[in-house]
Amino acid sequence: MKYTLLILTLITHMLYANETDDSLIIKEPFNAELFDITQDYDRSISTVGFSTKHKKQYSSSEPYSDAFDYLQSVSSSHGVQMHLVKVDDSTNISLSKNVNLPKFSKAVSVLKTPSNGYFIGGYTLDGSLLFLKLDANANIMFSKSYGTKNQNKLTSLTLLNDGGVLAVGYSTTSRFKHDNIFEMGLGKNDIYLTRFSKNGNKIWSKKYGTQEDDKGVDAIQAEDGSIIAVSTTTKGNRTLIDLMRLSENGDKIWMKNYNAIAQTDNKIIPHRLIKLKDNNFLLLLSQFNEMNQEHIRLVKFDINQNILIDKEIFTTYPSALNDIKQFSDGTFIAVGYVRDAYNTDGLAMSLDSNLVQLNQEHYGGENYDAFSSLAILHNSQVAVAGSHTDENSQESNMWIVKLNKDASSAKKASSTSSLYQKLVSIFKEEIITSKLIINEDLSIELIDKSLYFSVAKHKLSEQQKLFLDTFTKKLIPLLYKYKETIVALEINGHTSSEWKDSDFSSTYLKNSKLSLNRAYATLSYIFNSQSSPTQEWLTKMLKGSALSYSKKVLYNDVENREKSRRVSFKIYTKE
């Protein structure tokens, strides 16, 4: 198998990354994995899963007289907890936090809220379903535990057109008369769907299925508001795939068995259901042949149950895809895993609009590696979440990888490129309103008329001071975040080229002094506006520079004297 990511170089005792490939392995003391991933509104990436944590044990005043009592007390002291990780454009961790709940739990799905927070879906290890809302810093805004009295498991969350959420999963048949859904379940396991409002209020919960073992897998909302869901029914050793269309209130419109359509008795497992750009749907499946070898199957269908494309993808080694997304041009990227006799690797695959494979890449080391989920980013790169296991290890680690559109490995962005993107992002409003221009060399030009200096003047106007207040509140915290990379912030004073009744030498020297005074006035105002700790840091990287009229503003080779009377900024990095 081809390994396009090398085993990654150790950065800290918990963090691994390759110097060129944009990949991050996060090591926790015990097992940890990531299951779902999304991009935040500030272009950072957030992903959820679990890490294994311990609860503090309190010594009992009474010694244990029974070894089994002692073992039970120890076993309840550790387990998995929901874990959220947030990384910046350079795949550096900006937030890594356990969502500590009273019971051990796993997060399996994450959605963005309008306020840049999160809806998270998961389940507790003792069988309750969980629906949480977190703010942008992963603080719990609300946490709802629900489900039947027996074992329940959540498989996915789907964002609905009204801002609410549909939770998909399954529930062991209820045997308790006080359950508010059914006194008896439909079978061994039942498909279990719950609709929440955008405020987290439960609108309805419903069960579906047969007298056999039924499990809800995934769902998506159609353009008309109805819901398309995929589930499985297990009869003995045979697994059947059911497609179901529901009204917004959860009432069944139609249900169709895919195996009958495909005319196959081979084992099939559904992984993901997505809505396409043309408002049709794509179902991602694993199918097993007579030798029980796994390969990929993709089914495109419309809202009226018509199968539009049914395609099998055969690979050299047994393979499966866990997630798939469509680009704006209609092509696809998908991720999963590929197995040979020795190990398992993460699998990434690109496909054209007709689901024909274009490229595939394998990622990982000498042990078990797999991809669980992906998110297409604003720049058409792809963020992938999964798990990585070190060679000769039995414990999994959280894994984040960035890929290109063709499924190849993305290269880590330079700190200069990343900083440029951040500057453009935080000064988006000032750029749109023509207050300033940011160049890729990290120079910043002020272009608003109110920010220029008067002839022969260097004192700041009130408008200039107000602008600098807003400007530095955005700039200084960002520079501090990149402090290990930044060498200097230079403030350059400029002048126009004239000076009344002066010869060439006097004009140059007077303008040199004036430009230095403009730089100093700006530097001192910025410096004095900061707190003492920030001032101490600024002394190491802030400097003023006098450029006189060496960089005049020209239009068609003619100097614009008004616009030449200015200050500009330049950020210098180690690269």
Side-chain angles (χ1 to χ4, degrees), residues 410-450:
K411 301 304 176 184
K412 188 177 288 291
S414 67
S415 58
T416 298
S417 173
S418 177
L419 182 54
Y420 169 72
Q421 295 296 333
K422 284 290 187 182
L423 287 167
V424 170
S425 177
I426 66 171
F427 288 115
K428 181 179 180 180
E429 182 180 347
E430 288 81 359
I431 293 172
I432 292 173
T433 56
S434 298
K435 294 285 186 183
L436 54 78
I437 294 174
I438 299 175
N439 301 306
E440 292 191 19
D441 66 352
L442 304 184
S443 60
I444 304 173
E445 300 286 344
L446 308 185
I447 58 173
D448 185 86
K449 183 177 180 179
S450 65

Side-chain angles (χ1 to χ4, degrees), residues 368-383:
Y368 181 88
D369 303 283
F371 293 144
S372 300
S373 180
L374 67 90
I376 294 178
L377 307 179
H378 67 286
N379 59 358
S380 292
Q381 286 188 325
V382 179

